[in-house]
Amino acid sequence: MIVDIDTHFEPGPAWLDDYPALAERLPERFSVAESTVRAQVGDLLALVPAEERPPMEELLPPGIAAILGEAEVEGYGFEGSAMHTPGDAGERLAWMDRVGIDIANTICLEGADYGARLEDRALAREVISACNSWIADRVEGNEDRLPPLTSIDATDIDWSVDELTRMRARGSRAFLIATLPAPGFPPMHERYEPLWSAAEDLGMLAFVHAGHSPTFVDPAWANYPDGMVLRQLGASQMSQSAILMLNGMTFGGVFHRHPKLTLVFAELGIHWFAGAVQHMDNRGPALPESGVYMGQYDYELTPSEFVRRNVRITPLPRSHQSPVRLLEEFPECVVFSSDYAHNESNPEPIAHYEPILAAVKPDVRASFLGGNLAECFARTGNPLPPVSASGA
């Protein structure tokens, strides 16, 4: 069974057409250009006063015309790709059948993105809940193959648990959570214990996606006149808070207390993963004097053993993110995603991996394409349904 952990229904503001009264109460959405700049250099500029930031035109990437759908840019995206993608279950299933994908975790980040901008958290929760309902409505009747992602508001854990429960009944198998779930509280804080327990009980994965992994950078790094350099600096930090989250949940005992929990990292690169895990082991029981300098490590499993059991990471299906080396070191942890139909995705993801994985052992290849995720769901007692790309 081939399981795609990251596909998108991202209609832009159009999803609010189903909720006109709610739409009237919301602030104006960022333009695609503004959203692109925020995604690429937003954290780099976060502490820079607005009047000292470079002009928008200097920060826009060369491919902005393709992102806006105004022009074709060689080497960027593919025909039919878009950052805003329609939510059509029939079309998506037809594509999945053609390329050979059985189950695709289906994501809509619009509600979470709107909600992150709102100071009124009660209104934010209305937005998030409405967007969750929107995507559940779009895949209704096809939830086994197109399970909808649930967004939450981690400032209210009780509400979030209720929303997980509601959306699980509508077929959801994963929920979006930021690396820093709520201001002032790291993910290993005791306030999140009910959330992690609910995820285990409901058979849902915790899902971290690019754009929900805030980094913190000294504003001096933004004091440079070249937009290309600033975009490179912004992109270089995407894994910063993911590494902190991985360390916090491991050393903070979340995986010890919740052995059935799975944390998935998507669109945050894979280059950092093996080194971060090795560094965790080196600061844990593998270093005899670690207890003297860092404090006693009291868990039965080593950090890398927790990671192999509780953490998954997915590359983009592009040549610069080959999973082969990581599959050699952490074959249990690497999982497949297409990111379809975004510009940085691949319209033929299975064919893309065939030559790349040609020398990989068949069992490791099968684990990457679906077995590793299937094992995570099975561990919760809520296994994936036995469906196939033919719809059987």
Side-chain angles (χ1 to χ4, degrees), residues 132-156:
N132 287 340
S133 294
W134 179 89
I135 192 169
D137 290 343
R138 292 303 177 279
V139 302
E140 190 169 18
N142 300 287
E143 300 91 341
D144 283 357
R145 296 193 63 197
L146 295 171
L149 181 81
T150 300
S151 295
I152 65 169
D153 175 18
T155 67
D156 188 326

Side-chain angles (χ1 to χ4, degrees), residues 198-248:
E200 288 183 294
D201 294 341
L202 294 168
M204 300 178 73
L205 309 186
F207 187 82
V208 177
H209 191 276
H212 297 267
S213 53
T215 60
F216 300 91
V217 185
D218 191 288
W221 289 104
N223 185 16
Y224 196 74
D226 190 327
M228 181 279 291
V229 174
L230 296 183
R231 289 191 293 273
Q232 290 286 1
L233 292 178
S236 75
Q237 291 297 294
M238 291 183 66
S239 60
Q240 181 196 97
S241 61
I243 293 173
L244 285 170
M245 187 181 199
L246 187 63
N247 276 261

Side-chain angles (χ1 to χ4, degrees), residues 255 258-259 261-263 306-312 379:
F255 299 138
H258 302 279
L261 179 67
T262 298
L263 177 69
F306 279 125
V307 168
R308 292 178 190 278
R309 186 185 70 186
N310 295 92
V311 181
R312 300 294 180 262
R379 184 156 34 93

Side-chain angles (χ1 to χ4, degrees), residues 90-107:
E91 289 184 1
R92 185 56 53 85
L93 288 169
W95 172 78
M96 290 165 60
D97 289 344
R98 182 176 65 79
V99 301
I101 293 172
D102 301 306
I103 297 175
N105 188 44
T106 309
I107 301 164

Side-chain angles (χ1 to χ4, degrees), residues 140-203:
E140 190 169 18
N142 300 287
E143 300 91 341
D144 283 357
R145 296 193 63 197
L146 295 171
L149 181 81
T150 300
S151 295
I152 65 169
D153 175 18
T155 67
D156 188 326
I157 296 301
D158 290 339
W159 179 89
S160 294
V161 170
D162 288 344
E163 188 68 358
L164 288 190
T165 304
R166 181 181 79 89
M167 285 294 291
R168 179 68 185 90
R170 300 206 63 181
S172 181
R173 299 305 305 261
F175 65 97
L176 180 70
I177 190 164
T179 49
L180 193 63
F185 297 96
M188 62 280 195
H189 194 277
E190 63 181 2
R191 78 189 302 270
Y192 297 115
E193 288 296 295
L195 184 69
W196 306 134
S197 293
E200 288 183 294
D201 294 341
L202 294 168

